[in-house]
Amino acid sequence: MYVAVKGGEAAILNSYQLLARQRRGDVSEPELSVPQIRQQLKLAVDRVMTEGSVYDPELAALAIKQAAGDLVEAIFLLRAYRATLPRLGTTCPLDTSRMALDRRISATFKDLPGGQVLGPTYDYTQRLLDFKLLAEGPVTPPAAAAVAVPPGPTPRVVDLLNQEGLIETRPVPPGDPAPTDLTREPLRFPANRATRLQNLARGDEGFLLAMAYSTQRGYSHSHPFVGEVRLGTVAVEVVPEELGFAIDIGDIEITECEMVNQFAGSKSQPPQFTRGYGLAFGHSERKAMAMGLVDRALRADELGEPVESPAQMQEFVLGHSDSLEASGFVQHLKLPHYVDFQSELELVRKMRAAAAHPTTPAEEDAA
């Protein structure tokens, strides 16, 4: 397509070398290792795993190193690698009620069964630069006090509302079909909730955050509360054909968020609270919360609410949420568009000439 570009291959090979040099930085400084990225840039690794749809902290850390910290590029690398992998099977749905908790908070009930577990969070930091981190040599973090995390399953906050029938219940219907796999099938509209949630989980965190923010500024007629945010590990299970029962193949860390929203009721449903749901790999609270807010906004049509705002329009949200599609479409403008531009340039010249020398009606008739 761009054969006319001279010296393209040599220039591209040189750019690879320059990119590697830029990634490495000053060779007098120790090189950043993949284990260091995995251990010390955990939140970035978790985001790349979530949007890359691959739970592998080592590969996500490798992608971050290769992309020199560009998380969108790292997500692209991880998804590209994912596309080469064979699919060996399908896991059972995660049972998050059996999550081993590291953090669990609720903004709706102060005293709840199992208690609040703050865990690791920036929520109560002062957001001041810690210049101790500039110190040479290893810095030993302060020892944390032991936290009493409730053993075994911890009841959900929404269960307290369920006891009074104040929040919607969503039992799995008999014969519930398997959800669409967006990694194998294209997104089609209208999309059901399972497909929307899958799209949002892979969606760009910044975009979802902006959409979620818009709902809080009055652009979806909702008033949300954080019912519960959970961070912890949960078992992954599969059912081998030769066994016929589920076996545990490992644990993964996830963040789960359930939003509680007001609902005025309809002809068929009484006034009650409704839910928005978010789930992401690793410690990804902002992503899970934004996902929960947008999920609830996208249910407007289902709940008989007027669809008036961008966050309520599934074609707008789902069609623009993917960071790779958005990045590719914007960045393709850097590629040569010489022919297109020359045609528009010639058109503008003709329009300017016509405006500078307008023709009379007689000249137009003669023409």
Side-chain angles (χ1 to χ4, degrees):
M1 183 176 180
Y2 301 115
V3 177
V5 180
K6 303 298 183 182
E9 183 177 0
I12 289 172
L13 293 176
N14 285 336
S15 77
Y16 289 168
Q17 297 176 2
L18 291 172
L19 184 62
R21 185 184 306 172
Q22 175 182 276
R23 180 192 303 120
R24 177 59 181 88
D26 188 347
V27 294
S28 65
E29 297 289 337
E31 183 174 3
L32 193 62
S33 69
V34 169
Q36 285 176 315
I37 295 173
R38 176 179 176 177
Q39 295 295 328
Q40 300 178 44
L41 298 180
K42 181 182 183 303
L43 300 184
V45 168
D46 291 346
R47 176 179 175 181
V48 171
M49 289 196 303
T50 297
E51 297 180 29
S53 298
V54 176
Y55 190 91
D56 192 316
E58 184 176 45
L59 291 181
L62 172 61
I64 291 172
K65 178 175 180 177
Q66 184 176 335
D70 183 339
L71 297 190
V72 174
E73 182 69 19
I75 292 162
F76 199 157
L77 292 170
L78 196 58
R79 280 204 203 171
Y81 176 74
R82 183 188 191 279
T84 69
L85 299 176
R87 179 159 301 190
L88 303 178
T90 303
T91 66
C92 303
L94 297 179
D95 184 359
T96 58
S97 66
R98 295 190 291 139
M99 186 188 302
L101 297 174
D102 293 317
R103 172 165 160 77
R104 185 238 194 166
I105 60 168
S106 171
T108 51
F109 293 97
K110 179 181 178 182
D111 299 314
L112 62 158
Q116 309 251 12
V117 181
L118 292 187
T121 178
Y122 285 102
D123 291 349
Y124 305 100
T125 60
Q126 293 181 318
R127 268 74 176 199
L128 299 175
L129 286 174
D130 185 357
F131 289 99
K132 290 184 293 185
L133 298 178
L134 290 173
E136 295 291 338
V139 178
T140 303
V147 178
V149 178
T154 304
R156 300 176 184 276
V157 168
V158 294
D159 292 339
L160 302 177
L161 297 172
N162 269 336
Q163 293 173 6
E164 297 184 57
L166 296 177
I167 193 167
E168 64 173 338
T169 56
R170 307 219 18 117
V172 178
D176 186 34
T180 300
D181 185 350
L182 289 182
T183 66
R184 294 185 170 189
E185 300 179 37
L187 176 64
R188 293 186 174 88
F189 298 106
N192 60 28
R193 192 182 182 201
T195 303
R196 298 198 304 262
L197 286 170
Q198 186 180 165
N199 180 284
L200 296 178
R202 289 161 51 89
D204 180 71
E205 181 178 314
F207 177 82
L208 292 186
L209 187 63
M211 289 291 98
Y213 180 44
S214 75
T215 69
Q216 295 179 271
R217 288 175 53 82
Y219 288 91
S220 74
H221 310 288
S222 64
H223 189 268
F225 298 90
V226 174
E228 189 170 12
V229 171
R230 290 177 168 223
L231 166 68
T233 54
V234 65
V236 178
E237 298 178 333
V238 296
V239 180
E241 292 183 5
E242 61 272 21
L243 296 180
F245 57 85
I247 60 172
D248 187 337
I249 61 172
D251 296 330
I252 62 173
E253 184 184 47
I254 61 170
T255 301
E256 182 184 44
C257 174
E258 288 200 87
M259 287 287 177
V260 176
N261 292 67
Q262 294 177 357
F263 176 57
S266 64
K267 293 181 179 179
S268 58
Q269 294 176 297
Q272 60 184 340
F273 291 104
T274 54
R275 305 182 186 189
Y277 186 77
L279 186 142
F281 287 151
H283 193 176
S284 306
E285 289 181 31
R286 185 168 54 227
K287 171 65 176 285
M289 291 177 65
M291 183 178 167
L293 289 168
V294 177
D295 168 51
R296 174 57 181 82
L298 290 175
R299 297 181 60 204
D301 192 51
E302 166 197 340
L303 296 171
E305 297 171 341
V307 177
E308 302 171 337
S309 304
Q312 297 172 299
M313 302 173 184
Q314 62 170 269
E315 291 194 31
F316 179 83
V317 174
L318 305 184
H320 298 89
S321 64
D322 191 279
S323 63
L324 302 195
E325 291 185 8
S327 175
F329 210 79
V330 170
Q331 293 202 80
H332 99 282
L333 296 174
K334 294 184 291 187
L335 298 176
H337 286 74
Y338 307 136
V339 175
D340 292 346
F341 180 71
Q342 290 300 321
S343 65
E344 293 201 12
L345 183 61
E346 186 63 24
L347 176 61
V348 171
R349 284 171 175 164
K350 289 180 179 180
M351 293 169 62
R352 286 173 62 89
H357 304 285
T359 57
T360 64
E363 290 173 331
E364 291 180 358
D365 293 339

